[in-house]
Amino acid sequence: MEDSHGIDDNGHSKGREDAEGDRDYSINPFEIQPKGPVDRLKEWRKVTFTVNAARRFRYTLDIKKFEEQQRLKKDPASRLRAGTHVIRAVERFKQAGRGAEQDEPPGGFGVGPKKLVHLLQDRKLSDLEKLGKVQGLAGKLGVDLEEGVKDGPEEIQKRKEAYGANTYPKKKAKGIWHFVWEACQDTTLIILMVAAVVSLGTEMWSQGVKEGWYDGTAILAAVFIVIVTTAGSDYKQSLQFRNLNAEKENIILSVIRGGERKKISIWDIVVGDVIPLSIGDQVPADGIFIEGHSLLIDESTMTGESEPVRKDSKRPFLMSGCKVIDGQGIMLVTGVGINTEWGQVMASVSEDNGEETPLQVRLNGVATFIGKVGLTVAVLVFVILFIRFFAIDYKKPQYKKPSKIIVQIVEMFSIAVTIVVVAVPEGLPLAVTLTLAYSMRKMMADKSLVRHLAACETMGSATTICSDKTGTLTTNKMTVVRAWLGNAENDAVDSDEFIPHNLHQTIIRSICLNSTGTVAAAKGDAEPVISGSPTETACLGWGLKLGMDFKQLRHATRILHVETFNSTKKRAGVVFKNDEGIVEAHWKGAAEIILGLCTKFVDEHGEPQEMSPEKRTELENVIGGMAAKSLRCIAFAYRPIEGSNVPTNEEESSEWKQPEDNLILLGICGIKDPCRNGVREAVERCQHAGVKVRMVTGDNVITARAIAQECGILKDDGLVVEGPDFRTWDDARLDRDLEKLVVMARSSPTDKLKLVKSLKQRGNVVAVTGDGTNDAPALHEADIGLSMGISGTEVAKESSDIIILDDNFTSVVKVVRWGRSVYSNIQKFIQFQLTVNVTALTINFISSISTGKVPLTAVQLLWVNLIMDTLGALALATEPPTDDLMDLKPVGRTEPLITNIMWRNILAQAIFQIVVLLTLDFAGNSILKLSPNDGPTDKSLLKDDDEPRDVLRTTIIFNAFVFCQVFNEINARRPTTFNIFQGIHKNYLFISIIVVEVILQFVIVQFLNRFARTTKLEAKYWGLCIVIGFISWPVGFLVKFLPVPKKQFQPRLNLCCGLWGKKKKSKAKDSLDATESIPKESEQTNDPIAVTSNHHGGNISDADNRRLPSNGEIHDGEKTHVVSAV
């Protein structure tokens, strides 16, 4: 089942695009994948009848632009090659016309920048030979191939001025005016502006310029404020996302400068830098291969060739942007920035964040549906007002004038359009953008860099975390604390006085030469600087204590062959000729694996002895004893071989396999990697929150068990399994034991991938940590891939969704907390906004039917829209996460956004506001004891047959309505708990927004009377409005005592899906992924916004075939699953 979509006819693994590209997504229009085909979003927008995408889908995917970028990304090589050929043709034409253009070498260097550019563009070995090969080129660049560039700011700046910096020009960011223009394209706002202009003209025509300019200008001013606020918010989010994109591109890598390995930013690389490359690295600039072993490069991004290319002295050209697939090597940088082909491609492709997340898609659907309801109400209001005018008011003499008729119709139309503006909750997608931007910024402070927005949402639903051990649960600061050498185990690993001389020489050669790390000589009283992976650093540190002279050994020994470390074989090897002229093959790796390859061991006299069964058992116990103390066990072994058997040319050497049988065991070391502080508490927090933590490690089972118990992962009922055993598990065994599995030892990348797939197929939302190149498939397959920022390779980082910058498991737990916060904040805003929507629509609809007038004018409704959309989203979407989020269970894949608790809160507040405000509208004059002359003395505020007290009453209604929203905004902070003020004193932004809303409301009511059609209120009426708003707090408190039904209440909205199904029936296939598209029986819901949002897409298997009839139901035997519309 697991390979049903990922293998082609030839048995080769298909890419994700191929595997998903064959899938027919037309069956279920609501299965939205954040990394899936863009056609899914097209279909979604067709289904939801989205016409006004410019504002409703604010800051979401531009499909045309996305398709163009995808085409370029799929084959950048074709565009690049075409552009390169044009450039070369122009250059050659120029040279033919006026002779070769001079390329003077910069001062202090022996080769010009253009010659270096052409060297990599043409990639001719003869051109390199003319420059004296790599050694001659290094001389012309003033570089020592062993020491690298001289380390100093003057030298680096000199090279940047001569050959350029490793940056490329980026397209200019969208300015504020771009977002103003986008906001102006909102259809409803355009209609309002047209209506305002017509109103302005007719009012000035009928009443004169002095009195007639107010109403139209007021609507235009309100629209202008909405546009500016919208544009400002979008512009701010675009800057945040741009900054985060820049952070993602800032790769930190190693260079050799001044004889030492240093960590620098990719932007700081200069021509002449000497850069080590290893598996998973990205080639950071154009360059020439200096030396290396089995260096295999994936150049498909630049050449279009899918086969990896082996690099050696015959094929020395390395292109920026390519990935290291295997082996290791060292390169000399010859081209940076725009002088590389990769730089030219990146300069032409703008990196705009066009990602549309599943939650945004779901909320866009909700916004569209509610917008339709609002449009229906608006049309009904307009029709009722229109009929009432011509049936009743038109009979009055003052309404017979053409100008008066036009004014009345324009006013009716403005009110109807404004109802649509208020009804369409475009603040929902905005709230997602705001909370994601806020969360991403705060997560950076918590050492987590988000690469894909959808991961923020999905992490809140995670039910299990498959974590690496080394560096994530442990500190990754390794030291050798115990060793078996010379047939004796001891703690005094830094004393070599009891080690036989020949064993001593052999073991330090093995440590020194079978290593990818380096040791820089000590300067003064300082310790030598060791570079490399933590394991390599620990081994080299042990070698130094044993008296190893790293540099002298490296120079005196000729390395003939290298076997790079392989996570499947879990060992690395080297073949070299020692100072006695004897060729030896050395291996280093997992102790029990190396021990299994040995037939002899070196005794206390330094002599090889046969490995008896008893001795093998004794050594296995030594390894077990070290592992039980949480030590990582590494063994060293060797064997002499015939030098004639070792290939001498690079071609044969790359295919030759180093002998790995009949080895002689030299020694075993135990490396201590202590658990991180706070890991046990973090694991317990996850378990308390319903998130199961599993440990996946390459260490042996005893070490893995000890560490898992120390971290609190392994309990009494937990199951520990080894990778080779797990590979044999069939579906029946997986169903029985997978849930109990908490530790997997001696795992390979394929074991990790199988674990992730098996967990997903059984309904889990899986987060996986990884750092190696071989972890990439599991990281990509997981719902959330978490790569390590320090120890992770570039391939692993590119396959992940979030980069844990400090490699710490506690940071992973913080990501879970932030993911839940995103979901929680969206729910808070939905509760707040739907309350406003229901109240505003109901009041205006009932009033228009009964009286022919609406208590809330166009300008007033636009102000309410601004409060609940932009300001409300900003206030509620930036609530920081609370500790009680980790007391809840994970949110299911199909969990409804609007829960029964939220419906209870929404309906309670809406009913309270509707009853109070309609009571004021119909009986306000008598309740408030208003006389006909109470109200404004300015007759221009009166409309037709209005009395002054009518303006006073509608002003009180408007003011009370706004204060209800202000108080309810605080209610919405805590939908489920009684203390709505918890943590409010720490949220300065929320408090500021509330204060701004109250101040602006005071200004509108007291001073902008002509624009907002309000009148100044006395203190007693202000008190009344505040009391009405305040009552929403006790209402919210008391309603939380009401129990809610367990069965989820949601209105069914199958009409869209049914229509869509009929339209697409002929194109539907007969397969549908049950695990992704159909909720499990226990998770089924009728939620119109409960759309399955699997992060990466699932597998299709014959066992999961379903059929989708045109009515939107999926029949599966006797069961029927309803596919909700929105």
Side-chain angles (χ1 to χ4, degrees), residues 1-7 12-16 19 464 466-468 567-568 694-697 723-724 726-727 729 731 734 738 741 744-762 764 766-770 772-785 799 1096-1099:
M1 179 174 176
E2 82 183 47
D3 296 324
S4 58
H5 80 295
I7 306 295
H12 298 297
S13 177
K14 291 164 64 175
R16 174 160 296 274
T464 185
C466 299
S467 174
D468 281 346
S567 59
T568 303
R694 292 175 164 90
M695 188 175 84
V696 184
T697 178
F726 180 72
R727 281 168 230 161
W729 285 19
D731 283 344
L734 287 167
L738 186 62
L741 192 158
M744 188 191 295
R746 283 287 171 246
S747 69
S748 69
T750 53
D751 299 330
K752 199 171 190 177
L753 183 59
K754 179 179 178 179
L755 176 63
V756 172
K757 286 184 175 181
S758 301
L759 287 168
K760 285 180 66 179
Q761 288 163 3
R762 284 155 183 79
N764 287 282
V766 185
V768 170
T769 70
T773 303
N774 290 318
D775 288 328
L779 288 169
H780 200 67
E781 179 66 28
D783 295 287
I784 313 103
S799 298
H1096 291 297
N1099 307 327

Coordinates of all heavy atoms in Angstrom, one line a residue, residues 1-7 12-16 19 464 466-468 567-568 694-697 723-724 726-727 729 731 734 738 741 744-762 764 766-770 772-785 799 1096-1099:
M1 N 0.8 -1.2 0.0 CA 0.0 0.0 0.0 C 0.8 1.3 0.0 O 0.6 2.2 -0.6 CB -0.9 0.0 1.2 CG -1.8 1.2 1.4 SD -3.0 1.0 2.7 CE -3.8 2.6 2.7
E2 N 1.9 1.2 0.8 CA 2.7 2.4 0.9 C 3.4 2.9 -0.3 O 3.7 4.0 -0.5 CB 3.8 2.2 2.0 CG 5.0 1.6 1.6 CD 6.0 1.4 2.8 OE1 5.5 0.9 3.8 OE2 7.1 1.7 2.6
D3 N 3.6 1.9 -1.3 CA 4.3 2.3 -2.5 C 3.3 2.4 -3.7 O 3.7 2.5 -4.9 CB 5.4 1.2 -2.9 CG 6.4 1.2 -1.8 OD1 6.8 2.2 -1.3 OD2 6.9 0.1 -1.5
S4 N 2.0 2.5 -3.4 CA 1.1 2.4 -4.5 C 1.1 3.6 -5.4 O 0.6 3.6 -6.5 CB -0.3 2.2 -3.9 OG -0.6 3.3 -3.1
H5 N 1.7 4.7 -4.9 CA 1.7 5.9 -5.8 C 3.1 6.4 -6.0 O 3.3 7.3 -6.8 CB 0.8 7.0 -5.1 CG 1.6 7.7 -4.1 ND1 2.0 7.1 -2.9 CD2 2.0 9.0 -4.0 CE1 2.6 8.0 -2.1 NE2 2.6 9.1 -2.8
G6 N 4.0 5.8 -5.4 CA 5.4 6.4 -5.4 C 6.3 5.7 -6.3 O 7.5 6.0 -6.4
I7 N 5.9 4.6 -7.1 CA 6.8 3.8 -7.9 C 6.3 3.8 -9.3 O 5.2 3.6 -9.6 CB 6.9 2.4 -7.3 CG1 7.3 2.4 -5.9 CG2 7.9 1.5 -8.2 CD1 8.7 2.9 -5.6
H12 N 11.2 2.6 -10.4 CA 11.9 3.7 -9.8 C 10.9 4.6 -9.0 O 9.8 4.7 -9.3 CB 12.6 4.6 -10.9 CG 13.6 3.8 -11.7 ND1 14.7 3.3 -11.1 CD2 13.6 3.5 -13.0 CE1 15.4 2.7 -12.1 NE2 14.8 2.8 -13.2
S13 N 11.5 5.2 -8.0 CA 10.7 6.1 -7.2 C 10.3 7.3 -8.0 O 11.1 8.0 -8.5 CB 11.5 6.5 -5.9 OG 10.7 7.4 -5.2
K14 N 9.0 7.6 -7.9 CA 8.5 8.8 -8.6 C 8.6 10.0 -7.7 O 8.6 9.9 -6.5 CB 7.0 8.7 -9.0 CG 6.8 7.6 -10.1 CD 5.4 7.2 -10.2 CE 4.4 8.3 -10.6 NZ 3.1 7.9 -10.7
G15 N 8.8 11.2 -8.3 CA 8.8 12.4 -7.5 C 7.4 12.7 -7.0 O 6.4 12.2 -7.5
R16 N 7.3 13.6 -6.0 CA 6.0 14.0 -5.5 C 5.1 14.6 -6.5 O 3.9 14.3 -6.5 CB 6.2 15.0 -4.3 CG 4.9 15.5 -3.8 CD 5.1 16.1 -2.4 NE 5.5 15.0 -1.5 CZ 4.6 14.3 -0.9 NH1 3.4 14.4 -1.1 NH2 5.0 13.4 0.0
A19 N 3.8 11.7 -8.6 CA 2.9 10.9 -7.8 C 1.5 11.5 -7.6 O 0.5 10.9 -7.7 CB 3.5 10.5 -6.5
T464 N 1.3 13.2 17.1 CA 2.5 12.4 17.4 C 3.7 13.2 16.9 O 3.7 13.8 15.8 CB 2.5 11.0 16.9 OG1 3.7 10.3 17.4 CG2 2.5 10.9 15.4
C466 N 7.7 12.4 15.9 CA 8.8 11.4 15.8 C 10.1 12.2 15.8 O 10.4 12.8 14.9 CB 8.7 10.6 14.5 SG 7.1 9.7 14.4
S467 N 10.8 12.1 16.9 CA 12.0 12.9 17.2 C 13.3 12.1 17.0 O 13.4 10.9 17.4 CB 11.9 13.5 18.6 OG 13.1 14.2 18.8
D468 N 14.3 12.7 16.4 CA 15.6 12.2 16.5 C 16.1 12.3 17.9 O 15.6 13.0 18.8 CB 16.6 13.0 15.6 CG 16.4 12.6 14.1 OD1 15.8 11.6 13.9 OD2 16.9 13.4 13.3
S567 N 24.1 6.1 6.2 CA 23.2 5.8 7.3 C 22.5 4.5 7.2 O 21.9 4.0 8.2 CB 22.1 6.9 7.3 OG 21.3 6.9 6.1
T568 N 22.6 3.8 6.1 CA 22.1 2.5 6.0 C 23.1 1.5 6.5 O 22.9 0.6 7.3 CB 21.7 2.1 4.5 OG1 20.8 3.1 4.0 CG2 21.2 0.7 4.4
R694 N 7.6 10.0 20.1 CA 8.4 8.8 19.7 C 9.8 9.1 19.4 O 10.1 10.2 18.8 CB 7.7 8.1 18.5 CG 6.3 7.5 18.8 CD 5.7 6.9 17.5 NE 4.6 6.1 17.8 CZ 3.3 6.4 17.9 NH1 3.0 7.7 17.8 NH2 2.4 5.6 18.2
M695 N 10.7 8.3 19.8 CA 12.2 8.5 19.5 C 12.6 7.6 18.4 O 12.4 6.4 18.5 CB 13.0 8.3 20.7 CG 14.5 8.8 20.6 SD 15.4 8.6 22.1 CE 15.8 6.9 22.1
V696 N 13.2 8.2 17.3 CA 13.8 7.4 16.2 C 15.3 7.7 16.1 O 15.6 8.8 15.9 CB 13.1 7.7 14.9 CG1 13.6 6.8 13.8 CG2 11.6 7.6 15.0
T697 N 16.1 6.6 16.3 CA 17.5 6.9 16.4 C 18.3 5.8 15.7 O 17.8 4.6 15.5 CB 18.0 7.0 17.8 OG1 19.4 7.1 17.9 CG2 17.6 5.7 18.6
G723 N 15.0 -1.2 13.9 CA 14.6 -1.0 12.5 C 14.5 -2.2 11.6 O 13.5 -2.4 10.9
P724 N 15.5 -3.1 11.7 CA 15.4 -4.4 10.9 C 14.2 -5.2 11.2 O 13.6 -5.8 10.3 CB 16.7 -5.1 11.2 CG 17.7 -4.0 11.6 CD 16.8 -3.0 12.3
F726 N 11.3 -3.8 12.5 CA 10.1 -3.1 12.1 C 9.9 -3.2 10.6 O 8.7 -3.2 10.2 CB 10.4 -1.6 12.4 CG 9.2 -0.7 12.1 CD1 8.0 -0.7 12.8 CD2 9.3 0.2 11.0 CE1 7.0 0.1 12.4 CE2 8.3 1.1 10.6 CZ 7.1 1.0 11.4
R727 N 10.9 -3.4 9.8 CA 10.7 -3.6 8.4 C 9.9 -4.8 8.0 O 9.2 -4.8 7.0 CB 12.1 -3.7 7.7 CG 12.8 -2.4 7.5 CD 14.3 -2.6 7.1 NE 15.2 -1.8 7.9 CZ 16.4 -2.1 8.1 NH1 17.0 -3.1 7.5 NH2 17.2 -1.3 8.8
W729 N 7.3 -5.8 9.7 CA 5.9 -5.7 10.2 C 4.9 -5.6 9.1 O 5.1 -4.8 8.2 CB 5.7 -4.5 11.1 CG 6.4 -4.7 12.5 CD1 7.3 -5.6 12.9 CD2 6.1 -3.9 13.7 NE1 7.6 -5.4 14.2 CE2 6.9 -4.4 14.7 CE3 5.2 -2.9 13.9 CZ2 6.9 -3.9 16.0 CZ3 5.2 -2.3 15.2 CH2 6.0 -2.8 16.2
D731 N 0.6 -5.3 7.9 CA -0.5 -4.4 8.3 C -1.1 -4.9 9.6 O -1.5 -4.1 10.5 CB -1.5 -4.3 7.2 CG -1.1 -3.4 6.1 OD1 -0.1 -2.7 6.3 OD2 -1.7 -3.5 5.0
L734 N 1.2 -4.0 12.4 CA 1.1 -2.5 12.6 C -0.2 -2.1 13.3 O -0.1 -1.2 14.2 CB 1.2 -1.8 11.2 CG 2.6 -1.8 10.5 CD1 2.4 -1.4 9.1 CD2 3.5 -0.9 11.2
L738 N 1.5 -0.7 16.6 CA 2.1 0.6 16.2 C 1.8 1.7 17.3 O 2.7 2.5 17.6 CB 1.5 1.1 14.9 CG 2.1 2.4 14.3 CD1 3.6 2.2 14.0 CD2 1.4 2.8 13.0
L741 N 4.3 1.6 20.0 CA 5.7 1.8 19.6 C 6.2 3.2 20.0 O 5.6 4.2 19.6 CB 5.9 1.6 18.1 CG 7.4 1.5 17.6 CD1 7.4 0.7 16.3 CD2 8.0 2.8 17.4
M744 N 12.3 3.5 18.3 CA 12.9 2.7 17.2 C 14.4 3.0 17.2 O 14.9 4.1 17.0 CB 12.3 3.1 15.9 CG 12.7 2.1 14.8 SD 12.2 2.6 13.1 CE 10.5 2.5 13.3
A745 N 15.1 1.9 17.4 CA 16.6 1.9 17.4 C 17.1 1.3 16.1 O 16.4 0.6 15.4 CB 17.2 1.2 18.6
R746 N 18.4 1.7 15.8 CA 19.0 1.2 14.6 C 18.1 1.4 13.3 O 18.0 0.5 12.5 CB 19.4 -0.3 14.7 CG 20.6 -0.6 15.6 CD 21.9 -0.2 14.8 NE 23.1 -0.2 15.7 CZ 23.7 0.9 16.0 NH1 23.3 2.1 15.6 NH2 24.8 0.9 16.8
S747 N 17.5 2.5 13.3 CA 16.6 2.8 12.2 C 17.3 3.3 11.0 O 18.3 4.1 11.1 CB 15.5 3.8 12.6 OG 16.1 5.1 12.8
S748 N 16.8 3.0 9.8 CA 17.3 3.6 8.6 C 16.3 4.6 8.0 O 15.2 4.6 8.6 CB 17.5 2.4 7.5 OG 16.2 2.0 7.1
P749 N 16.7 5.4 7.0 CA 15.7 6.4 6.5 C 14.4 5.7 6.0 O 13.3 6.3 6.1 CB 16.5 7.0 5.4 CG 17.9 6.9 5.8 CD 18.0 5.6 6.5
T750 N 14.5 4.5 5.4 CA 13.3 3.8 4.9 C 12.5 3.4 6.1 O 11.2 3.4 6.0 CB 13.7 2.6 4.1 OG1 14.6 1.8 4.8 CG2 14.4 3.0 2.8
D751 N 13.1 3.0 7.2 CA 12.3 2.7 8.4 C 11.5 3.9 8.9 O 10.3 3.8 9.2 CB 13.2 2.2 9.5 CG 13.9 0.9 9.2 OD1 13.4 0.1 8.3 OD2 15.1 0.7 9.6
K752 N 12.2 5.0 8.9 CA 11.5 6.3 9.3 C 10.4 6.6 8.4 O 9.3 7.0 8.9 CB 12.6 7.4 9.4 CG 12.2 8.6 10.2 CD 13.4 9.5 10.3 CE 13.2 10.6 11.3 NZ 14.4 11.5 11.5
L753 N 10.6 6.5 7.1 CA 9.5 6.8 6.2 C 8.3 5.8 6.3 O 7.2 6.3 6.3 CB 10.1 6.7 4.7 CG 9.1 7.0 3.6 CD1 8.7 8.5 3.7 CD2 9.8 6.8 2.2
K754 N 8.6 4.6 6.5 CA 7.5 3.6 6.7 C 6.7 3.9 8.0 O 5.5 3.9 8.0 CB 8.1 2.2 6.8 CG 7.0 1.1 7.1 CD 7.6 -0.3 7.1 CE 6.4 -1.3 7.4 NZ 6.9 -2.7 7.5
L755 N 7.4 4.3 9.1 CA 6.8 4.7 10.3 C 5.8 5.9 10.1 O 4.7 5.9 10.6 CB 7.8 5.1 11.4 CG 7.3 5.6 12.7 CD1 6.5 4.5 13.4 CD2 8.5 6.0 13.6
V756 N 6.3 6.9 9.4 CA 5.5 8.1 9.1 C 4.3 7.7 8.3 O 3.1 8.1 8.7 CB 6.3 9.2 8.4 CG1 5.4 10.3 7.9 CG2 7.5 9.7 9.3
K757 N 4.5 7.0 7.3 CA 3.3 6.6 6.4 C 2.3 5.8 7.2 O 1.1 6.0 7.1 CB 3.8 5.8 5.2 CG 4.5 6.6 4.1 CD 4.8 5.8 2.9 CE 5.4 6.6 1.8 NZ 5.8 5.8 0.6
S758 N 2.8 4.8 8.0 CA 1.9 3.9 8.8 C 1.1 4.7 9.8 O -0.1 4.5 10.0 CB 2.7 2.9 9.5 OG 3.5 2.1 8.6
L759 N 1.7 5.7 10.4 CA 1.0 6.5 11.4 C 0.0 7.4 10.7 O -1.1 7.6 11.2 CB 2.0 7.4 12.2 CG 2.9 6.7 13.2 CD1 4.1 7.6 13.6 CD2 2.1 6.3 14.4
K760 N 0.3 8.0 9.6 CA -0.6 8.8 8.8 C -1.8 8.0 8.4 O -3.0 8.5 8.4 CB 0.0 9.5 7.6 CG 0.9 10.6 8.0 CD 1.6 11.3 6.8 CE 0.6 11.9 5.9 NZ 1.2 12.6 4.8
Q761 N -1.6 6.8 7.9 CA -2.7 5.9 7.4 C -3.6 5.6 8.5 O -4.8 5.2 8.2 CB -2.1 4.7 6.7 CG -1.4 4.9 5.4 CD -0.5 3.8 5.0 OE1 -0.4 2.8 5.6 NE2 0.2 4.0 3.8
R762 N -3.2 5.6 9.7 CA -4.0 5.3 10.9 C -4.6 6.5 11.5 O -4.9 6.5 12.7 CB -3.3 4.4 11.8 CG -3.2 3.0 11.3 CD -2.0 2.2 11.8 NE -1.9 0.9 11.2 CZ -1.5 0.6 9.9 NH1 -1.0 1.6 9.2 NH2 -1.5 -0.6 9.4
N764 N -3.2 9.6 12.2 CA -2.4 10.5 13.0 C -2.0 11.7 12.2 O -1.8 11.6 11.0 CB -1.1 9.8 13.5 CG -1.4 8.8 14.7 OD1 -1.6 9.2 15.8 ND2 -1.5 7.5 14.3
V766 N 1.2 13.8 11.9 CA 2.6 13.4 12.3 C 3.6 14.6 12.0 O 3.6 15.1 10.9 CB 3.1 12.2 11.5 CG1 4.4 11.7 12.0 CG2 2.1 11.0 11.6
A767 N 4.3 14.9 13.1 CA 5.5 15.8 13.0 C 6.7 15.0 13.1 O 6.8 14.1 13.9 CB 5.4 16.8 14.1
V768 N 7.7 15.3 12.2 CA 9.0 14.5 12.2 C 10.1 15.4 12.3 O 10.1 16.5 11.5 CB 9.0 13.6 10.9 CG1 10.4 13.0 10.8 CG2 8.0 12.5 11.0
T769 N 11.1 15.1 13.1 CA 12.4 15.9 13.1 C 13.4 15.1 12.3 O 13.4 13.9 12.2 CB 12.9 16.2 14.5 OG1 13.4 14.9 15.0 CG2 11.8 16.7 15.4
G770 N 14.3 15.8 11.6 CA 15.4 15.2 10.9 C 16.5 16.2 10.6 O 16.2 17.4 10.5
G772 N 19.5 14.9 8.4 CA 20.3 14.4 7.4 C 19.7 14.4 6.0 O 18.4 14.5 5.9
T773 N 20.4 14.2 5.0 CA 19.9 14.2 3.6 C 18.9 13.0 3.5 O 17.9 13.2 2.8 CB 21.0 14.0 2.6 OG1 22.0 15.1 2.8 CG2 20.5 14.0 1.2
N774 N 19.2 11.9 4.1 CA 18.4 10.7 4.0 C 17.1 10.9 4.7 O 16.2 10.1 4.6 CB 19.1 9.5 4.4 CG 20.2 9.1 3.5 OD1 20.0 9.1 2.3 ND2 21.4 8.7 4.0
D775 N 17.0 11.9 5.6 CA 15.7 12.2 6.3 C 14.7 12.9 5.4 O 13.5 13.0 5.8 CB 16.0 13.0 7.5 CG 16.7 12.2 8.6 OD1 16.4 11.0 8.7 OD2 17.5 12.8 9.4
A776 N 15.2 13.4 4.3 CA 14.3 14.2 3.4 C 13.0 13.6 3.0 O 11.9 14.2 3.1 CB 15.1 14.7 2.1
P777 N 13.0 12.3 2.6 CA 11.7 11.7 2.3 C 10.7 11.7 3.4 O 9.5 12.0 3.3 CB 12.1 10.2 1.9 CG 13.5 10.3 1.4 CD 14.1 11.4 2.3
A778 N 11.2 11.3 4.6 CA 10.3 11.3 5.8 C 9.8 12.7 6.2 O 8.7 12.9 6.5 CB 11.0 10.7 7.0
L779 N 10.7 13.7 6.1 CA 10.3 15.1 6.3 C 9.3 15.6 5.4 O 8.4 16.3 5.8 CB 11.6 16.0 6.3 CG 12.6 15.9 7.4 CD1 13.9 16.6 7.0 CD2 12.1 16.4 8.7
H780 N 9.4 15.2 4.1 CA 8.4 15.6 3.1 C 7.1 14.9 3.2 O 6.1 15.5 3.0 CB 9.0 15.4 1.7 CG 8.4 16.2 0.7 ND1 8.5 17.6 0.6 CD2 7.6 15.9 -0.4 CE1 7.8 18.0 -0.4 NE2 7.3 17.0 -1.1
E781 N 7.2 13.6 3.6 CA 6.0 12.8 3.8 C 5.2 13.2 5.0 O 3.9 13.1 5.0 CB 6.3 11.4 3.9 CG 5.2 10.4 4.0 CD 4.3 10.4 2.8 OE1 4.8 10.6 1.7 OE2 3.0 10.1 3.0
A782 N 5.8 13.7 6.0 CA 5.2 14.0 7.3 C 4.2 15.2 7.1 O 4.4 16.0 6.2 CB 6.2 14.3 8.4
D783 N 3.2 15.3 8.0 CA 2.4 16.5 8.0 C 3.1 17.7 8.3 O 2.9 18.8 7.7 CB 1.2 16.3 9.0 CG 0.3 15.1 8.6 OD1 -0.5 15.3 7.6 OD2 0.4 14.1 9.2
I784 N 4.1 17.6 9.2 CA 5.0 18.7 9.5 C 6.4 18.2 9.6 O 6.7 17.4 10.4 CB 4.6 19.4 10.9 CG1 3.1 19.7 11.0 CG2 5.4 20.7 11.0 CD1 2.4 18.7 11.9
G785 N 7.3 18.7 8.7 CA 8.7 18.3 8.7 C 9.5 19.4 9.5 O 9.4 20.6 9.2
S799 N 13.4 20.2 2.5 CA 12.3 19.3 2.5 C 11.4 19.5 3.7 O 10.4 18.9 3.8 CB 12.9 17.9 2.6 OG 13.6 17.6 1.4
H1096 N 0.6 17.5 3.2 CA 1.3 17.2 2.0 C 0.6 16.4 0.9 O 1.0 16.2 -0.2 CB 2.6 16.4 2.3 CG 3.6 17.2 3.0 ND1 4.2 18.3 2.5 CD2 4.1 17.1 4.3 CE1 5.0 18.8 3.4 NE2 5.0 18.1 4.5
G1097 N -0.5 15.8 1.3 CA -1.2 14.9 0.4 C -1.0 13.5 0.7 O 0.0 13.1 1.3
G1098 N -1.9 12.7 0.4 CA -1.9 11.3 0.9 C -1.6 10.3 -0.2 O -1.3 10.6 -1.3
N1099 N -1.8 9.0 0.1 CA -1.6 7.9 -0.8 C -2.9 7.5 -1.3 O -4.0 7.5 -0.7 CB -0.9 6.8 -0.1 CG 0.3 7.2 0.6 OD1 1.0 8.1 0.1 ND2 0.7 6.6 1.7

